[in-house]
Structures are given as structure tokens and as C-alpha cells.
Amino acid sequence: MADQPQIYELNNGTVVVKITNYGCTITSLSVPDKNGKLADVVLGFDTVEPYVKGASPYFGCIVGRVANRIKNGKFTLNGTEYTLPINKPPNSLHGGFKGFDKRIWEVAEYKKGDKPSITFKYRSSDGEEGYPSDVSVTATYTLTSTMTMKLDMEAVPENKATPINLAQHTYWNLAGHNSGNILDHTIQIWASEMTPVDENTVPTGEIKPIKGTPFDFTAEKKVGLQVHEVGLGYDRNYVLGSGEEKLGLKRAAKLKDPSSSRVLNLWTNAPGMQFYTGNHVNGVVGKGGAVYNKHAGLCLETQGFPNAINQPNFPSVVVQPGSKYQHTMLFEFSVE
């Protein structure tokens, strides 16, 4: 039954991904290391129950209708003020109390073979969690080649303009989900600016160069090198630059685990990326009884800028009725 949460598998003989229709959530993703040994490199749970019961701090899911924070849970669009649930006081976070991550999506298509894929769809109704317009949403995960996964997210408002900003919230640990923390990973981020935040983690509206600060990852750098200089850890939106392109996508980040030599290169068409080092993960019991603590994984959430609906100088996240929101992410795994 598509109206029950289930776990589906994509397997091309090299990479194995498990995804549930509850929140379009990646629950497991296994890729080989330098010796061909598979490990599951995402935080999560063995069954759908903990996700449904709210035990997950957004592990692996698609968040929406609007990812990240909206200041004071308010915005005005076309002269109407909208009030959203304050699920992360004093702000609204990741779509509210019951965002896209807590909805059962319908499986629209499920293909096996050497390029296996699964398409989920969801219809968000006008007024849901305070947002205007009915919106038809689809998300397709595809193993496009031996070591590559693609995610295509699309959304079309049916009758009113609305903000839309979907993000994929997987927590990565390329050494294996149960291997400890990600502070020894190195990361390079194709961004020379970020959006500074106020005391409630909402962007102030500024766009600031990061050169010479602990936030600078323009060259490959160990995640843990300066993590103690940035409060609880990294949790910032990076302004993605105009680096090299592939299939119309720009390069966002390169993540590497030195112990296994696993590498993840991420490409996207989104303007920003939240780099989050799992600062609030605390004693979550996950797959196989693994206990996930602070920095057990990190997130590379490509997105529109947080609170863009209230910041006229940020790229707009408003989508007009009949227009299509399109967000693509390409996850390229390798060893080096």
C-alpha cells in the first residue's frame, strides 16, 4: 500500500540506497571504499517507526514547503500576511510542525535495472502549515551511473504564488554511519561568501566574504580544524559561486574521509548550501544500535537562502502559479 510508510531499494550492483515514502527519506546509502568494501554512509534508522514517531532530527528527508528558518514565522506576499507555526521558537523551521518530511508521499514510479529510480509525489494543500496555494510536488531519486545518484525535485503551485524551497537533509559520514564523528573529514566548498546570522540563526540580510575566517573552505580543509571557533559548530548558508559546471549544475562541495578514501562531490542548481555539522545530535540510537552524538554526521543542504521570503536582496524563492520550481542535486561518489 502506497499510503503506508515503506522502505524501497535502489541497487545498481555497486551502490545500494534505501528510501522511504515517509518524507522521501534516504534511510541507508552504501558505497564502496578504496578496497571495494561497502559501508552505509548516512545516519538513520533501520525501520520507518522512529521517523514516524518523531525520533529523527531530519535525518535523510526532504524538507519543505520552505527549508530552513522563516523569521518569526511571518511573511507578506501580494499584500497578504501569512502566519506559520513557530516550531523552532521564535521562528518557523523546515515547513512547520508537519512539513514535507512528515508526510506520506505516493510512489508514482519505481524502476529497476542498471539505472534504477523511484519517483515520489505529494500534493500540498492551500493553507497547509500556513502556506498559500495547492502545490504539486515530485521528487525522483535515480542511480544515473555506477557511483552517482541524482535527485530531481519539482513543485508547481496551482492557484496562488507561494514560497517554495526544498532541501535534502541527509547527514553524511563517509567513514560509515557508526564510525564516530566527522571532524577528520576534509571539505571544500565552492563559495567565497556566506550569509551571517542573528542570535536565532536567521540571516541578517548581509552577504559576507569568508576569506580569513573559520568559515573559509575555499581550499580543502579538515572540518574539525576550526570548528571550536564557531560556537556549537558549523550551521551556515554558503553563497555558491560560479565554479565549474556539469549538466547545467555547479559544483557545491567535495567531502572526503581520509580513513576509507571515500569522496562525495556534490553538484546543484541551487543558489545556496547550508553546511551543518550535526551540532544538536545527542544520543540518538540509530541503525544497528549505533549511538549518534554531536558531529556524528554533516549535512550539505543545497537550498534557496534562509528567510529569503523576508529579504528582498536574497534570490527570490517565490514561485508563481503554473510556474515550476526545479532543484537538482547530483551526488558523485568516488575513492581517491
Side-chain angles (χ1 to χ4, degrees):
M1 292 281 291
D3 56 355
Q4 293 297 317
Q6 272 173 252
I7 292 176
Y8 300 85
E9 185 176 281
L10 301 180
N11 184 342
N12 64 2
T14 306
V15 175
V16 184
V17 191
K18 292 179 181 173
I19 309 166
T20 170
N21 57 326
Y22 185 81
C24 280
T25 302
I26 297 172
T27 63
S28 169
L29 194 156
S30 297
V31 289
D33 68 1
K34 58 187 178 225
N35 303 315
K37 184 172 180 289
L38 281 179
D40 181 353
V41 297
V42 304
L43 306 194
F45 303 102
D46 288 312
T47 63
V48 292
E49 279 76 21
Y51 298 98
V52 174
K53 287 183 173 146
S56 171
Y58 300 103
F59 286 161
C61 57
I62 290 180
V63 292
R65 180 178 307 190
V66 175
N68 220 297
R69 287 164 179 81
I70 292 182
K71 188 172 183 172
N72 300 326
K74 281 187 175 19
F75 67 90
T76 300
L77 185 56
N78 296 338
T80 303
E81 183 177 76
Y82 294 93
T83 304
L84 310 172
I86 307 295
N87 61 319
K88 181 82 176 171
N91 305 306
S92 192
L93 176 70
H94 291 332
F97 285 110
K98 196 173 177 185
F100 291 3
D101 65 300
K102 295 176 182 70
R103 304 281 174 174
I104 295 174
W105 296 51
E106 184 187 326
V107 177
E109 194 171 46
Y110 184 26
K111 293 183 191 161
K112 310 258 171 144
D114 61 348
K115 286 190 169 60
S117 70
I118 189 162
T119 299
F120 299 100
K121 67 177 184 181
Y122 175 65
R123 193 164 182 270
S124 177
S125 54
D126 186 3
E128 182 179 296
E129 295 293 300
Y131 289 96
S133 189
D134 299 309
V135 181
S136 297
V137 193
T138 62
T140 301
Y141 292 94
T142 309
L143 296 181
T144 51
S145 66
T146 320
M147 294 275 278
T148 306
M149 179 178 75
K150 187 160 157 259
L151 169 59
D152 290 296
M153 295 173 269
E154 294 189 345
V156 178
E158 292 170 22
N159 28 39
K160 297 177 193 166
T162 180
I164 300 176
N165 181 17
L166 307 183
Q168 217 298 339
H169 209 298
T170 290
Y171 289 71
W172 301 97
N173 187 326
L174 296 181
H177 75 101
N178 55 354
S179 66
N181 67 53
I182 43 74
L183 298 178
D184 280 338
H185 282 47
T186 61
I187 193 168
Q188 185 173 358
I189 300 175
W190 273 257
S192 55
E193 298 172 312
M194 58 103 166
T195 51
V197 295
D198 66 17
E199 68 280 7
N200 297 312
T201 331
V202 174
T204 59
E206 301 165 273
I207 290 175
K208 221 175 179 175
I210 52 180
K211 196 174 168 61
T213 74
F215 293 97
D216 189 349
F217 290 95
T218 48
E220 201 168 300
K221 182 172 89 179
K222 202 184 255 201
V223 172
L225 189 67
Q226 292 176 284
V227 74
H228 304 297
E229 298 172 44
V230 292
L232 293 170
Y234 293 98
D235 192 6
R236 280 291 186 289
N237 171 61
Y238 282 73
V239 179
L240 296 175
S242 48
E244 51 186 305
E245 287 209 353
K246 173 181 291 200
L247 305 171
L249 306 176
K250 55 193 170 184
R251 199 156 183 191
K254 177 188 178 182
L255 182 65
K256 183 177 178 184
D257 163 49
S259 66
S260 65
S261 300
R262 286 189 190 91
V263 174
L264 166 58
N265 276 289
L266 175 60
W267 305 74
T268 187
N269 64 347
M273 183 185 78
Q274 193 81 9
F275 173 47
Y276 172 55
T277 47
N279 311 329
H280 302 287
V281 178
N282 183 6
V284 179
V285 180
K287 288 173 280 194
V291 179
Y292 305 137
N293 285 309
K294 188 178 181 182
H295 307 318
L298 60 79
C299 303
L300 304 169
E301 308 158 55
T302 63
Q303 61 181 4
F305 296 1
N307 197 37
I309 190 66
N310 291 312
Q311 287 292 353
N313 61 315
F314 284 0
S316 175
V317 292
V318 174
V319 184
Q320 299 301 326
S323 296
K324 188 182 278 189
Y325 164 92
Q326 288 179 299
H327 180 183
T328 297
M329 302 174 79
L330 193 69
F331 305 87
E332 272 190 325
F333 300 96
S334 58
V335 290
E336 63 176 48

